[in-house]
Amino acid sequence: MQAEKFSLDFGHLRSLTGDDNEFMIEILELIVDQSPDVLQEMKGQLQSREYGPLGATAHKYKSSINILGNPDLIRLMKDIEHISTSSEEKEPLMDLVGEFEQVCDLLLDALKVELQNLQ
């Protein structure tokens, strides 16, 4: 996922929060805070070949970021979850977690801009 193709749609978040800026800020700050930890956790689980927990982490994070309106990011988490918890070859997980590492920086940048706009 390239920077020029990365975008977020906050429409779903706005409708869930009733367009309440303070509540939106709370949610976005939570995602900003947890995203680096999730990335480190996933990298550690991949390195330790803890595929079940890796799939669970992707599933949990997918639920958190679903409100951000980025189908590519959701697909990425679904792919990590699916491969981690299936009998499929695990080799693609290296690339998928690496892609998430790149996307995480884009995500954090976009969320920080939106937080500035809301404050």
Side-chain angles (χ1 to χ4, degrees):
M1 197 175 323
Q2 298 170 347
E4 57 273 359
K5 293 183 180 180
F6 186 83
S7 66
L8 299 175
D9 177 359
F10 297 103
H12 187 60
L13 177 61
R14 287 188 198 324
S15 71
L16 285 175
T17 62
D19 218 7
D20 180 339
N21 275 10
E22 286 184 35
F23 191 31
M24 288 174 57
I25 288 169
E26 245 180 84
I27 291 171
L28 294 178
E29 284 177 340
L30 260 170
I31 295 171
V32 167
D33 289 344
Q34 78 177 12
S35 294
D37 294 337
V38 168
L39 174 60
Q40 292 309 312
E41 186 175 353
M42 291 175 85
K43 287 170 65 176
Q45 290 164 334
L46 179 62
Q47 186 176 9
S48 301
R49 297 181 178 179
E50 299 173 35
Y51 300 121
L54 175 59
T57 301
H59 177 78
K60 183 178 171 185
Y61 188 69
K62 177 182 67 180
S63 300
S64 298
I65 59 166
N66 192 39
I67 60 172
L68 299 178
N70 186 301
D72 294 329
L73 184 55
I74 298 300
R75 177 209 43 84
L76 180 59
M77 289 301 112
K78 283 181 180 178
D79 289 349
I80 292 171
E81 178 185 8
H82 173 75
I83 293 171
S84 295
T85 58
S86 73
S87 60
E88 290 183 32
E89 177 60 43
K90 305 302 184 209
E91 191 174 314
L93 288 171
M94 285 292 272
D95 290 337
L96 293 171
V97 172
E99 184 178 346
F100 176 55
E101 185 170 15
Q102 294 173 353
V103 168
C104 197
D105 289 336
L106 299 172
L107 173 65
L108 292 175
D109 290 345
L111 291 177
K112 288 174 184 174
V113 167
E114 184 63 19
L115 282 166
Q116 287 178 338
N117 291 339
L118 290 171
Q119 294 173 342

